[in-house]
Amino acid sequence: MTDDVQQLVSDGTILENVVKGTAVDGKNYELPAAFSLPVYYGTQETIKRLDTLESITQYMEENPNGRVLGAASLQQVAYLLFAANYQDIQENGVFSQEALVRILETAKVIWDANPSEAMEEAWNTGFSSQVTSGKGMSAFASIGMDELYDDTDITGVNDINGISSMAMMFDIFTKHPEMTAENVNNMYTPANRMGINSSSSQKELAKDFMETVLSDEIQVGDYLEGLPVRVESLEKLPQISDASDMTISTSYDGGPSRDYGMPSADQVQQIVDMAKQADTSLLIDRTVRNTFLECVENYAGGDVSAQEAAQDMSDKMELYLAE
């Protein structure tokens, strides 16, 4: 698909940064129709704590009772750190055992400083199955969120996949204008990935379908499946949001109800600008993801040490790659 995809890039139809991030050895075998954008948000001071595993460790050592994130399960925290640092902890599927140990131990320190039995229950009764199935919940799915209305000393986490997915975050910013959002390590997650089987007898029909999916009519829809890969459609989002009169209402068990509208054009433009710069594709193989989460579960249950869990992960990945 390289020639066709490059033509779409050269004529300005689709985002070059997304295409480059999904290429393999300079060749395009697939094309995402959309992508999500993981962000940290809060004050610059709180976001900086999450720069690296080392910066988190340093902050927690200096502030033993300090909180880095909002309420989350231990597994959620570990999965977040795994995804956020994914490019640095593995190469061609071979994981650094030392890095895995650090992720597990750092996640435990973060969770110990802000344990949440409610989120542990939520993980065990629903979140876990959503993550392992690969449907409906990413590593960056809404950690903190509502808490940041009243707590400016933690960092929120959000996976932006449409206008409405950023609405609460920007509503929080209206109360705390000192807060900002930053793309996590220049990453994006491809969504609705399309490709054409080389043995297909209907290649032209497949191309027609892809053209329809990439059309402005389809791309501008806020389906919460991802931001548009089409440049024209992405650039329309600020005005679409600004013109919307939709109101969102949210409430959490034991917490207040919130009502807020869509973000302003200027706010959405911040996300559009980030989206045009994100060039690191985050694709975690389902087997890799589920193997890691299984190791975290064993570690969280106290059955094994961080070193033993990391060794188990490394052994299973070595076997997986060999197969």
Side-chain angles (χ1 to χ4, degrees), residues 290-322:
N290 291 357
T291 300
F292 174 74
L293 290 173
E294 179 183 339
C295 292
V296 177
E297 184 176 354
N298 292 335
Y299 172 65
D303 299 330
V304 297
S305 66
Q307 289 77 11
E308 290 170 326
Q311 181 65 59
D312 186 34
M313 170 94 182
S314 298
D315 292 343
K316 289 178 177 177
M317 286 300 96
E318 184 177 343
L319 177 61
Y320 176 58
L321 289 173

mmCIF file of all heavy atoms in Angstrom, residues 290-322:
data_model
loop_
_atom_site.group_PDB
_atom_site.id
_atom_site.type_symbol
_atom_site.label_atom_id
_atom_site.label_comp_id
_atom_site.label_asym_id
_atom_site.label_seq_id
_atom_site.Cartn_x
_atom_site.Cartn_y
_atom_site.Cartn_z
ATOM 1 N N ASN A 290 -1.457 -9.212 27.795
ATOM 2 C CA ASN A 290 -2.099 -10.117 28.751
ATOM 3 C C ASN A 290 -1.081 -10.872 29.594
ATOM 4 O O ASN A 290 -1.332 -11.178 30.765
ATOM 5 C CB ASN A 290 -3.017 -11.090 28.013
ATOM 6 C CG ASN A 290 -4.230 -10.381 27.424
ATOM 7 O OD1 ASN A 290 -4.411 -9.182 27.615
ATOM 8 N ND2 ASN A 290 -5.064 -11.110 26.698
ATOM 9 N N THR A 291 0.082 -11.174 29.011
ATOM 10 C CA THR A 291 1.140 -11.818 29.783
ATOM 11 C C THR A 291 1.642 -10.883 30.871
ATOM 12 O O THR A 291 1.850 -11.292 32.016
ATOM 13 C CB THR A 291 2.308 -12.233 28.866
ATOM 14 O OG1 THR A 291 1.838 -13.141 27.875
ATOM 15 C CG2 THR A 291 3.422 -12.892 29.671
ATOM 16 N N PHE A 292 1.814 -9.612 30.517
ATOM 17 C CA PHE A 292 2.252 -8.631 31.518
ATOM 18 C C PHE A 292 1.224 -8.506 32.629
ATOM 19 O O PHE A 292 1.573 -8.506 33.818
ATOM 20 C CB PHE A 292 2.495 -7.270 30.859
ATOM 21 C CG PHE A 292 2.804 -6.186 31.849
ATOM 22 C CD1 PHE A 292 4.046 -6.135 32.480
ATOM 23 C CD2 PHE A 292 1.852 -5.226 32.175
ATOM 24 C CE1 PHE A 292 4.325 -5.142 33.417
ATOM 25 C CE2 PHE A 292 2.127 -4.231 33.104
ATOM 26 C CZ PHE A 292 3.372 -4.190 33.728
ATOM 27 N N LEU A 293 -0.049 -8.394 32.273
ATOM 28 C CA LEU A 293 -1.089 -8.225 33.290
ATOM 29 C C LEU A 293 -1.199 -9.460 34.190
ATOM 30 O O LEU A 293 -1.485 -9.342 35.388
ATOM 31 C CB LEU A 293 -2.429 -7.935 32.616
ATOM 32 C CG LEU A 293 -2.532 -6.560 31.945
ATOM 33 C CD1 LEU A 293 -3.829 -6.444 31.157
ATOM 34 C CD2 LEU A 293 -2.445 -5.446 32.986
ATOM 35 N N GLU A 294 -0.951 -10.620 33.638
ATOM 36 C CA GLU A 294 -0.951 -11.846 34.447
ATOM 37 C C GLU A 294 0.191 -11.811 35.461
ATOM 38 O O GLU A 294 0.017 -12.176 36.629
ATOM 39 C CB GLU A 294 -0.799 -13.059 33.531
ATOM 40 C CG GLU A 294 -0.773 -14.396 34.267
ATOM 41 C CD GLU A 294 -0.536 -15.560 33.321
ATOM 42 O OE1 GLU A 294 -0.787 -15.419 32.103
ATOM 43 O OE2 GLU A 294 -0.080 -16.626 33.802
ATOM 44 N N CYS A 295 1.346 -11.332 35.022
ATOM 45 C CA CYS A 295 2.487 -11.221 35.927
ATOM 46 C C CYS A 295 2.224 -10.185 37.015
ATOM 47 O O CYS A 295 2.602 -10.371 38.176
ATOM 48 C CB CYS A 295 3.740 -10.850 35.137
ATOM 49 S SG CYS A 295 4.312 -12.153 34.021
ATOM 50 N N VAL A 296 1.566 -9.072 36.641
ATOM 51 C CA VAL A 296 1.217 -8.044 37.634
ATOM 52 C C VAL A 296 0.257 -8.610 38.663
ATOM 53 O O VAL A 296 0.382 -8.355 39.870
ATOM 54 C CB VAL A 296 0.590 -6.808 36.952
ATOM 55 C CG1 VAL A 296 0.164 -5.782 38.012
ATOM 56 C CG2 VAL A 296 1.557 -6.166 35.981
ATOM 57 N N GLU A 297 -0.715 -9.394 38.200
ATOM 58 C CA GLU A 297 -1.691 -9.987 39.116
ATOM 59 C C GLU A 297 -1.006 -10.904 40.123
ATOM 60 O O GLU A 297 -1.327 -10.886 41.319
ATOM 61 C CB GLU A 297 -2.736 -10.764 38.320
ATOM 62 C CG GLU A 297 -3.845 -11.347 39.184
ATOM 63 C CD GLU A 297 -4.925 -12.039 38.365
ATOM 64 O OE1 GLU A 297 -4.868 -11.964 37.122
ATOM 65 O OE2 GLU A 297 -5.821 -12.661 38.966
ATOM 66 N N ASN A 298 -0.047 -11.704 39.654
ATOM 67 C CA ASN A 298 0.681 -12.594 40.559
ATOM 68 C C ASN A 298 1.493 -11.785 41.564
ATOM 69 O O ASN A 298 1.557 -12.124 42.751
ATOM 70 C CB ASN A 298 1.601 -13.518 39.764
ATOM 71 C CG ASN A 298 0.827 -14.515 38.930
ATOM 72 O OD1 ASN A 298 -0.307 -14.849 39.242
ATOM 73 N ND2 ASN A 298 1.435 -14.992 37.856
ATOM 74 N N TYR A 299 2.085 -10.702 41.083
ATOM 75 C CA TYR A 299 2.875 -9.840 41.975
ATOM 76 C C TYR A 299 1.973 -9.128 42.974
ATOM 77 O O TYR A 299 2.271 -9.062 44.172
ATOM 78 C CB TYR A 299 3.655 -8.828 41.124
ATOM 79 C CG TYR A 299 4.354 -7.758 41.923
ATOM 80 C CD1 TYR A 299 5.395 -8.062 42.797
ATOM 81 C CD2 TYR A 299 3.975 -6.416 41.775
ATOM 82 C CE1 TYR A 299 6.030 -7.062 43.519
ATOM 83 C CE2 TYR A 299 4.618 -5.417 42.499
ATOM 84 C CZ TYR A 299 5.638 -5.743 43.369
ATOM 85 O OH TYR A 299 6.272 -4.757 44.081
ATOM 86 N N ALA A 300 0.837 -8.610 42.492
ATOM 87 C CA ALA A 300 -0.089 -7.886 43.362
ATOM 88 C C ALA A 300 -0.668 -8.803 44.436
ATOM 89 O O ALA A 300 -0.940 -8.372 45.559
ATOM 90 C CB ALA A 300 -1.221 -7.279 42.540
ATOM 91 N N GLY A 301 -0.855 -10.073 44.090
ATOM 92 C CA GLY A 301 -1.411 -11.016 45.052
ATOM 93 C C GLY A 301 -0.408 -11.496 46.077
ATOM 94 O O GLY A 301 -0.760 -12.241 47.002
ATOM 95 N N GLY A 302 0.848 -11.092 45.899
ATOM 96 C CA GLY A 302 1.874 -11.487 46.857
ATOM 97 C C GLY A 302 2.423 -12.874 46.624
ATOM 98 O O GLY A 302 3.195 -13.391 47.451
ATOM 99 N N ASP A 303 2.064 -13.497 45.497
ATOM 100 C CA ASP A 303 2.527 -14.854 45.221
ATOM 101 C C ASP A 303 3.999 -14.891 44.811
ATOM 102 O O ASP A 303 4.694 -15.888 45.055
ATOM 103 C CB ASP A 303 1.681 -15.489 44.107
ATOM 104 C CG ASP A 303 0.210 -15.603 44.485
ATOM 105 O OD1 ASP A 303 -0.058 -15.757 45.697
ATOM 106 O OD2 ASP A 303 -0.644 -15.533 43.591
ATOM 107 N N VAL A 304 4.455 -13.807 44.162
ATOM 108 C CA VAL A 304 5.837 -13.769 43.686
ATOM 109 C C VAL A 304 6.410 -12.382 43.933
ATOM 110 O O VAL A 304 5.680 -11.408 44.134
ATOM 111 C CB VAL A 304 5.926 -14.092 42.175
ATOM 112 C CG1 VAL A 304 5.443 -15.511 41.889
ATOM 113 C CG2 VAL A 304 5.136 -13.081 41.354
ATOM 114 N N SER A 305 7.727 -12.290 43.884
ATOM 115 C CA SER A 305 8.404 -11.000 44.008
ATOM 116 C C SER A 305 8.403 -10.305 42.657
ATOM 117 O O SER A 305 8.073 -10.907 41.626
ATOM 118 C CB SER A 305 9.847 -11.205 44.474
ATOM 119 O OG SER A 305 10.591 -11.889 43.461
ATOM 120 N N ALA A 306 8.796 -9.034 42.647
ATOM 121 C CA ALA A 306 8.882 -8.302 41.392
ATOM 122 C C ALA A 306 9.903 -8.959 40.463
ATOM 123 O O ALA A 306 9.687 -9.056 39.245
ATOM 124 C CB ALA A 306 9.274 -6.849 41.660
ATOM 125 N N GLN A 307 11.006 -9.435 41.028
ATOM 126 C CA GLN A 307 12.036 -10.087 40.227
ATOM 127 C C GLN A 307 11.508 -11.378 39.602
ATOM 128 O O GLN A 307 11.761 -11.665 38.427
ATOM 129 C CB GLN A 307 13.268 -10.397 41.089
ATOM 130 C CG GLN A 307 14.077 -9.180 41.494
ATOM 131 C CD GLN A 307 13.433 -8.376 42.625
ATOM 132 O OE1 GLN A 307 12.469 -8.838 43.264
ATOM 133 N NE2 GLN A 307 13.938 -7.185 42.886
ATOM 134 N N GLU A 308 10.759 -12.153 40.396
ATOM 135 C CA GLU A 308 10.207 -13.414 39.873
ATOM 136 C C GLU A 308 9.151 -13.153 38.811
ATOM 137 O O GLU A 308 9.083 -13.860 37.800
ATOM 138 C CB GLU A 308 9.612 -14.229 41.028
ATOM 139 C CG GLU A 308 10.655 -14.784 41.983
ATOM 140 C CD GLU A 308 10.031 -15.367 43.241
ATOM 141 O OE1 GLU A 308 8.993 -14.828 43.707
ATOM 142 O OE2 GLU A 308 10.577 -16.355 43.767
ATOM 143 N N ALA A 309 8.308 -12.122 39.013
ATOM 144 C CA ALA A 309 7.281 -11.784 38.026
ATOM 145 C C ALA A 309 7.923 -11.327 36.723
ATOM 146 O O ALA A 309 7.480 -11.708 35.625
ATOM 147 C CB ALA A 309 6.367 -10.698 38.579
ATOM 148 N N ALA A 310 8.988 -10.510 36.823
ATOM 149 C CA ALA A 310 9.683 -10.036 35.628
ATOM 150 C C ALA A 310 10.360 -11.185 34.897
ATOM 151 O O ALA A 310 10.354 -11.240 33.658
ATOM 152 C CB ALA A 310 10.711 -8.971 36.021
ATOM 153 N N GLN A 311 10.929 -12.113 35.638
ATOM 154 C CA GLN A 311 11.568 -13.278 35.018
ATOM 155 C C GLN A 311 10.536 -14.127 34.292
ATOM 156 O O GLN A 311 10.778 -14.619 33.173
ATOM 157 C CB GLN A 311 12.277 -14.117 36.087
ATOM 158 C CG GLN A 311 13.005 -15.341 35.530
ATOM 159 C CD GLN A 311 14.146 -14.962 34.625
ATOM 160 O OE1 GLN A 311 15.076 -14.267 35.048
ATOM 161 N NE2 GLN A 311 14.102 -15.415 33.367
ATOM 162 N N ASP A 312 9.369 -14.303 34.903
ATOM 163 C CA ASP A 312 8.289 -15.067 34.288
ATOM 164 C C ASP A 312 7.851 -14.415 32.981
ATOM 165 O O ASP A 312 7.647 -15.084 31.963
ATOM 166 C CB ASP A 312 7.113 -15.151 35.265
ATOM 167 C CG ASP A 312 5.997 -16.059 34.759
ATOM 168 O OD1 ASP A 312 6.305 -17.060 34.085
ATOM 169 O OD2 ASP A 312 4.818 -15.745 35.022
ATOM 170 N N MET A 313 7.721 -13.086 32.996
ATOM 171 C CA MET A 313 7.355 -12.350 31.792
ATOM 172 C C MET A 313 8.409 -12.550 30.702
ATOM 173 O O MET A 313 8.088 -12.830 29.542
ATOM 174 C CB MET A 313 7.229 -10.859 32.126
ATOM 175 C CG MET A 313 7.088 -9.944 30.915
ATOM 176 S SD MET A 313 5.395 -9.581 30.512
ATOM 177 C CE MET A 313 5.578 -8.557 29.052
ATOM 178 N N SER A 314 9.670 -12.415 31.056
ATOM 179 C CA SER A 314 10.752 -12.565 30.089
ATOM 180 C C SER A 314 10.778 -13.963 29.494
ATOM 181 O O SER A 314 10.943 -14.130 28.278
ATOM 182 C CB SER A 314 12.107 -12.266 30.760
ATOM 183 O OG SER A 314 12.169 -10.937 31.221
ATOM 184 N N ASP A 315 10.569 -14.972 30.339
ATOM 185 C CA ASP A 315 10.573 -16.361 29.857
ATOM 186 C C ASP A 315 9.435 -16.602 28.874
ATOM 187 O O ASP A 315 9.622 -17.234 27.823
ATOM 188 C CB ASP A 315 10.462 -17.326 31.032
ATOM 189 C CG ASP A 315 11.701 -17.327 31.926
ATOM 190 O OD1 ASP A 315 12.749 -16.825 31.463
ATOM 191 O OD2 ASP A 315 11.614 -17.826 33.061
ATOM 192 N N LYS A 316 8.252 -16.092 29.224
ATOM 193 C CA LYS A 316 7.089 -16.313 28.357
ATOM 194 C C LYS A 316 7.230 -15.568 27.034
ATOM 195 O O LYS A 316 6.811 -16.050 25.986
ATOM 196 C CB LYS A 316 5.818 -15.902 29.096
ATOM 197 C CG LYS A 316 5.443 -16.859 30.214
ATOM 198 C CD LYS A 316 4.194 -16.399 30.963
ATOM 199 C CE LYS A 316 3.808 -17.421 32.035
ATOM 200 N NZ LYS A 316 2.632 -16.990 32.842
ATOM 201 N N MET A 317 7.822 -14.374 27.081
ATOM 202 C CA MET A 317 8.019 -13.610 25.844
ATOM 203 C C MET A 317 9.050 -14.271 24.945
ATOM 204 O O MET A 317 8.936 -14.280 23.734
ATOM 205 C CB MET A 317 8.433 -12.180 26.173
ATOM 206 C CG MET A 317 7.301 -11.312 26.696
ATOM 207 S SD MET A 317 5.908 -11.146 25.524
ATOM 208 C CE MET A 317 4.797 -12.443 26.125
ATOM 209 N N GLU A 318 10.078 -14.847 25.564
ATOM 210 C CA GLU A 318 11.093 -15.567 24.785
ATOM 211 C C GLU A 318 10.462 -16.757 24.077
ATOM 212 O O GLU A 318 10.733 -17.017 22.893
ATOM 213 C CB GLU A 318 12.219 -16.022 25.711
ATOM 214 C CG GLU A 318 13.361 -16.695 24.977
ATOM 215 C CD GLU A 318 14.510 -17.082 25.910
ATOM 216 O OE1 GLU A 318 14.556 -16.544 27.037
ATOM 217 O OE2 GLU A 318 15.356 -17.907 25.503
ATOM 218 N N LEU A 319 9.604 -17.471 24.776
ATOM 219 C CA LEU A 319 8.905 -18.604 24.179
ATOM 220 C C LEU A 319 7.958 -18.128 23.082
ATOM 221 O O LEU A 319 7.878 -18.735 21.993
ATOM 222 C CB LEU A 319 8.128 -19.356 25.251
ATOM 223 C CG LEU A 319 7.275 -20.548 24.777
ATOM 224 C CD1 LEU A 319 8.161 -21.612 24.123
ATOM 225 C CD2 LEU A 319 6.508 -21.157 25.952
ATOM 226 N N TYR A 320 7.234 -17.054 23.330
ATOM 227 C CA TYR A 320 6.291 -16.496 22.350
ATOM 228 C C TYR A 320 7.011 -16.111 21.051
ATOM 229 O O TYR A 320 6.552 -16.421 19.945
ATOM 230 C CB TYR A 320 5.586 -15.296 22.961
ATOM 231 C CG TYR A 320 4.644 -14.565 22.034
ATOM 232 C CD1 TYR A 320 3.571 -15.237 21.432
ATOM 233 C CD2 TYR A 320 4.814 -13.220 21.773
ATOM 234 C CE1 TYR A 320 2.700 -14.563 20.580
ATOM 235 C CE2 TYR A 320 3.934 -12.544 20.927
ATOM 236 C CZ TYR A 320 2.873 -13.211 20.335
ATOM 237 O OH TYR A 320 2.014 -12.549 19.489
ATOM 238 N N LEU A 321 8.157 -15.450 21.186
ATOM 239 C CA LEU A 321 8.901 -15.036 19.997
ATOM 240 C C LEU A 321 9.449 -16.245 19.257
ATOM 241 O O LEU A 321 9.496 -16.275 18.014
ATOM 242 C CB LEU A 321 10.046 -14.105 20.399
ATOM 243 C CG LEU A 321 9.633 -12.708 20.871
ATOM 244 C CD1 LEU A 321 10.847 -11.949 21.402
ATOM 245 C CD2 LEU A 321 8.988 -11.927 19.739
ATOM 246 N N ALA A 322 9.869 -17.260 20.006
ATOM 247 C CA ALA A 322 10.402 -18.473 19.375
ATOM 248 C C ALA A 322 9.321 -19.188 18.575
ATOM 249 O O ALA A 322 9.592 -19.753 17.513
ATOM 250 C CB ALA A 322 10.983 -19.400 20.451
#
